[in-house]
Each structure stands twice: as C-alpha cells, then as structure tokens.
Amino acid sequence: MAGEKKAGEKKAGEKKAGEKKPAQKKAEEKKPADKKPVEKKAGQKKVREKKPKKYHASRNPVLARGIGRYSRSAMYARKALYKRKYTAPETKIEKKKKEKPRATIIKPVGGDKNGGSRVVKVRKMPRYYPTEDVPRKLLSHGKKPFSQHKRRLRASITPGTVLILLTGRHRGKRVVFLKQLGTGLLLVTGPLAINRVPLRRAHQKFVIATSTKVDISGVKIPKHLTDAYFKKKKLRKPKHQEGEIFDTEKEKYELTEQRKTDQKAVDSQILARIKKVPQLRGYLRSTFCLSNGVYPHKLVF
Amino acid sequence: VFKRFVEIGRVAFISFGRHAGKLVAIVDVIDQNRALVDGPCTGVRRQAMPFKCMQLTDFVIKFPHSARQKCVRRAWEKENINEKWAATRWAKKIEAREKKAKMTDFDRYKVMKAKRMRNRIIKHEIKKLQKKTTKKVKKTEKKEK
C-alpha cells in the first residue's frame, strides 16, 4: 500500500510530491470517503487532482421545520469554521489601492536662517465651510447620460440601403447608407461623384429608407470615421476686442485633405458596385419630390 | 340593354368582402338578394352570397342548378375559366393596378425614364410626319404659283 502510494504520487504530481502526503492525510481525516482516493489512485492517477468535492450532510438535525438542534455558536464549532477561513484573492484594484500616495511633501524654502525646507501637506483642509450644506439629491433611477443611451436602428435600414434625405442642404437627395455611428447617427455617402453628397452624418428620423439596396458586403470603411471626426469645430479666442466681437474664427468650412482621401477610399469601392446595377446611378443622381396626386402615405418606398 | 344576366352557371367576380377579388359560379338563387355560390377552383367555399358584392362576368358554365361542388369544378375546369379570366382586359387592369401600387421608389424612377424615352420616340416620329406634310404643302403651293 505504502509502496503503491509513493509510486502513484510520483506519477501523478511531481510538483506536489511533497505536499501530497500530508494533503492526502487531511483529506482522509475530513472526508468519510477515505478509501476512494486510494482506489482511484491505483486506477487513474491523473484524475486524482480533479476529484469532485463531497459535501457533508447537514450537521444540524431538524427538530421541527425551521428549528435546528444546535445554536449558531454550536454550529460554528461543529462545522470547524475556525479552521476554514477563506479570503477572496486580492484583485488588481485592491493591489493598486494599497499604494498610498504621499501625505506630505518636503519643499525647499528660501531666505536666510529659515531652515531650508518645510514639510508641507499635500492635501490641505478646506479653508471655508459653507453655512448651509448642499442638500442631498434624491435618488433617481435610470437617468443615463447621452453617451450611455441605447442606440436603435430601424429594421428597414441596413448597410447599403438607399436613403432619401429629407432635411438639410441635401434634402431630396438619394444617398447610400454605410453604417451607424456611436451616437446613433447614420454615416452616409452620395457617392460624391454622383450627387455631391460627401461622407456625412444623417439623422435616422429625418430620412426615408427605400427598399433599394446596394450590395456593400465587402466594402471596408476606414475605422477613423467616427463622430469625433465629423463633429463641427468651434474656435473662439476669449480675448474680446470691442470692435469685432461677432467675428468668429471659423466661419467658412474648409475642406481638408484627409476628407478628400477618405471620400475617395470609400467611394471607389461603392461606385464599382453601383455600376453593376442598371440605372442605379441615374436613380442616385435624381432627387425625390412630390407632385399632384402623389401621397406619401400611399407610396411604397 | 343588359347583356349579362344572373343565371345558373354565371361566373361572377366578388368585389368586396372576405373573398374580394375572386371568381365564383352562381349555383342557385336563394331569394331576391342572395345566391348560393361556389368557387371550387378559386378557393371560395360553397356559401350564400349577396348579389351586391358580385359583379357579373361574361362567362357562363353549364351545370344543373344546385349541382354539387364536384360538378361545378368539372364544368369550371372544362371551360378553363381561370385562364380565360386571366386573359380578359378586366383581369389585366386589376393586375396592373396592383403592380402600380407595389412599385418602389426605384421602380418609379425606371418607369419615369421609360415613359420619357417612349414619348420622345413618339414625338420624333410625329415631327417627322409633320415635316413631310409641310414639305408637300409647300411643293403644291409652288406649283400653283
């Protein structure tokens, strides 16, 4: 038996060879199924490390429903919880928290006969306490900031759909949908060569989705086209000059080279696919309009 | 004055109601307002139907009054009513109307382009003919002079 044990230990876990003997003894003490580990060892030496845990039945016999024989403290002793104290593994956050920042700093001080340096507190006490504290805000629920809102997209709008813009300077134009951006706005392109609509953002609500779709399956849209890329820039220097307060820095929009290259990169891929569908190019060039006898609620888009 | 009559075997087109758009054969007349009607090949069960929702077609099939569905079906298929109906202008107009209502925006654009092309060709031919006649008139005027 002893011989077998040793042989088994060597084969099963060479790392834990030393630990296994005492560990095994403990296991035998605690768990009533003593013979099982030994038997298993003889047959399957590798499975021994992953033995399923056997839990003891309740050590607190039931007197009546909801009432046990032993009190809390008696149960503590019976379950030997004094031996079983576990701590959760220290998380990275806790590790970081341990690094306490310095509370004081030694700063040099000028002047003669001043001692050369002073010990200064890094975080000082407040110099003013208001007479009335700020009242506690009532708990609110589910009020998320815009950045955490859920973005939805109509089922009729999928990448490659032809959309009709309804507002803005490009109203009435038919345009190809590329993708939905982080804020929920739709990234859309003319393409520029067809109807002078550049890579632009459009709002879902102000757009009609037609059932015409262009196959955009393989088109790669550059990843830097995000909301920050399209956001309008405001430049205003705080220096006021009495004569020209209302003269803002950027009145005119200036076309950057990056926009041109991005436009080209995207459009070249899309134009190729548009040319494959007959008459689609002319369709994208045309604008949408209502005339006599045309009722939007009766139209199928 | 009247060419289509309500008679046994008259094929009628149902204009409104649950079976709108389907054809049925009049099997029997119940009273002044209703008829026993059956459409075995068009998916209408044998039932009473008011005359108001029926519109008579030109087709009449032969079977005795109150004939059972099997007989109506046989007569219907013998006359090939479904195909004849699809060939009528009435049915074609209905189909065209349905297609027009289903047109998508892209289809409307294509139709617009096609119509424009067609009209241009027509106008072109007209202009050509007009030119011919003006030339002839000019010639005859010259001769008279």
Side-chain angles (χ1 to χ4, degrees):
Chain A
M1 279 283 279
E4 268 185 72
K5 265 193 193 175
K6 276 189 185 171
E9 278 176 14
K10 278 185 187 170
K11 284 186 185 176
E14 282 154 358
K15 297 179 204 171
K16 299 183 185 176
E19 292 175 20
K20 272 211 171 155
K21 259 190 180 170
Q24 214 213 343
K25 275 187 184 171
K26 265 195 182 176
E28 283 172 359
E29 279 171 9
K30 282 187 183 174
K31 292 160 191 172
D34 286 346
K35 299 203 173 175
K36 276 200 177 176
V38 182
E39 284 173 8
K40 267 197 177 177
K41 225 184 46 173
Q44 304 156 318
K45 283 140 196 175
K46 286 185 184 174
V47 184
R48 198 177 159 278
E49 292 172 27
K50 288 186 184 176
K51 191 176 42 164
K53 249 197 173 182
K54 271 205 138 194
Y55 291 104
H56 196 280
S58 170
R59 297 176 212 261
N60 194 0
V62 170
L63 299 174
R65 189 165 81 121
I67 304 173
R69 168 71 184 80
Y70 300 103
S71 69
R72 265 186 207 261
S73 44
M75 282 312 299
Y76 187 89
R78 295 188 67 157
K79 288 204 257 183
L81 290 176
Y82 55 88
K83 279 195 214 169
R84 298 199 243 167
K85 289 185 181 166
Y86 307 110
T87 50
E90 198 183 76
T91 58
K92 281 188 187 173
I93 303 167
E94 284 175 319
K95 276 188 188 165
K96 278 195 181 174
K97 270 195 176 175
K98 276 189 180 175
E99 305 167 14
K100 261 192 163 186
R102 279 208 57 96
T104 60
I105 272 187
I106 299 171
K107 283 201 167 175
V109 161
D112 205 18
K113 288 193 189 173
N114 248 343
S117 63
R118 296 274 181 278
V119 177
V120 174
K121 271 195 185 178
V122 171
R123 303 194 74 204
K124 301 188 191 126
M125 304 300 293
R127 60 181 161 81
Y128 171 71
Y129 289 100
T131 46
E132 263 185 62
D133 284 326
V134 176
R136 262 203 150 180
K137 287 194 171 171
L138 295 164
L139 284 172
S140 72
H141 159 75
K143 310 279 185 285
K144 288 187 190 167
F146 179 70
S147 53
Q148 291 174 27
H149 282 176
K150 221 184 191 185
R151 316 291 175 193
R152 294 194 170 90
L153 188 61
R154 275 186 271 164
S156 52
I157 302 180
T158 61
T161 314
V162 173
L163 307 172
I164 301 175
L165 300 176
L166 296 174
T167 54
R169 57 175 53 207
H170 299 288
R171 61 190 83 98
K173 290 200 182 169
R174 297 181 172 103
V175 124
V176 177
F177 168 69
L178 297 175
K179 67 187 262 217
Q180 188 179 35
L181 301 171
T183 50
L185 296 170
L186 314 176
L187 177 60
V188 128
T189 178
L192 190 66
I194 295 183
N195 51 19
R196 292 305 285 170
V197 176
L199 279 168
R200 206 170 200 264
R201 298 188 289 177
H203 192 109
Q204 211 192 129
K205 283 257 168 192
F206 303 110
V207 132
I208 295 179
T210 64
S211 48
T212 321
K213 311 229 187 247
V214 185
D215 184 21
I216 291 201
S217 40
V219 166
K220 286 175 198 166
I221 301 164
K223 292 208 168 168
H224 57 263
L225 298 176
T226 60
D227 284 293
Y229 176 89
F230 289 106
K231 195 163 172 62
K232 286 193 189 153
K233 278 105 193 164
K234 281 185 188 175
L235 246 188
R236 246 203 199 179
K237 292 194 177 166
K239 298 177 193 171
H240 280 307
Q241 281 165 349
E242 280 294 319
E244 309 161 354
I245 301 176
F246 300 110
D247 217 359
T248 48
E249 288 274 329
K250 271 202 179 173
E251 275 183 17
K252 266 202 123 186
Y253 166 75
E254 280 147 16
L255 189 55
T256 59
E257 279 303 314
Q258 200 199 14
R259 289 252 185 175
K260 286 189 196 172
T261 51
D262 291 331
Q263 186 75 49
K264 247 194 184 178
V266 175
D267 277 1
S268 53
Q269 299 175 60
I270 295 180
L271 274 171
R273 285 153 216 256
I274 288 176
K275 284 192 179 163
K276 285 186 192 167
V277 182
Q279 296 191 300
L280 187 60
R281 192 167 167 275
Y283 175 57
L284 290 172
R285 289 190 75 204
S286 65
T287 50
F288 174 76
C289 59
L290 297 172
S291 59
N292 263 355
V294 177
Y295 307 109
H297 70 291
K298 288 214 156 178
L299 286 180
V300 169
F301 282 102
Chain B
V1 180
F2 290 106
K3 293 188 194 129
R4 301 171 183 162
F5 299 98
V6 169
E7 49 192 317
I8 311 293
R10 173 66 67 181
V11 172
F13 172 81
I14 303 176
S15 52
F16 61 85
R18 237 196 95 198
H19 299 283
K22 296 187 189 156
L23 292 180
V24 274
I26 295 177
V27 173
D28 205 351
V29 169
I30 300 171
D31 61 12
Q32 203 207 348
N33 304 320
R34 294 181 299 154
L36 177 63
V37 119
D38 197 357
C41 305
T42 53
V44 182
R45 281 202 193 160
R46 183 170 256 238
Q47 60 193 269
M49 198 175 273
F51 287 117
K52 275 195 181 169
C53 68
M54 287 191 262
Q55 292 174 351
L56 305 177
T57 64
D58 287 326
F59 305 120
V60 184
I61 43 184
K62 274 208 113 182
F63 52 78
H65 79 119
S66 313
R68 62 194 235 270
Q69 189 174 58
K70 193 173 171 187
C71 300
V72 177
R73 186 194 293 273
R74 224 188 312 127
W76 191 294
E77 280 166 1
K78 188 170 169 207
E79 293 286 324
N80 234 335
I81 298 292
N82 283 340
E83 281 183 18
K84 286 188 186 169
W85 168 250
T88 59
R89 283 180 175 264
W90 188 347
K92 286 184 190 164
K93 273 191 267 173
I94 293 171
E95 206 200 312
R97 225 179 294 144
E98 279 174 18
K99 277 193 178 169
K100 193 174 182 190
K102 276 192 202 165
M103 268 204 291
T104 70
D105 197 43
F106 191 21
D107 294 336
R108 260 174 264 131
Y109 168 79
K110 287 192 235 176
V111 163
M112 182 262 285
K113 286 282 170 183
K115 267 193 182 177
R116 185 191 286 192
M117 211 25 147
R118 182 175 181 261
N119 290 336
R120 285 216 175 127
I121 295 169
I122 292 171
K123 270 192 211 161
H124 185 66
E125 294 296 315
I126 290 172
K127 287 260 162 86
K128 276 206 273 186
L129 289 172
Q130 277 177 342
K131 268 192 189 174
K132 266 193 191 172
T133 52
T134 49
K135 268 191 185 174
K136 273 190 183 174
V137 168
K138 276 189 182 172
K139 268 192 183 175
T140 52
E141 279 179 4
K142 268 193 182 177
K143 276 189 181 175
E144 281 173 17
K145 280 183 184 172

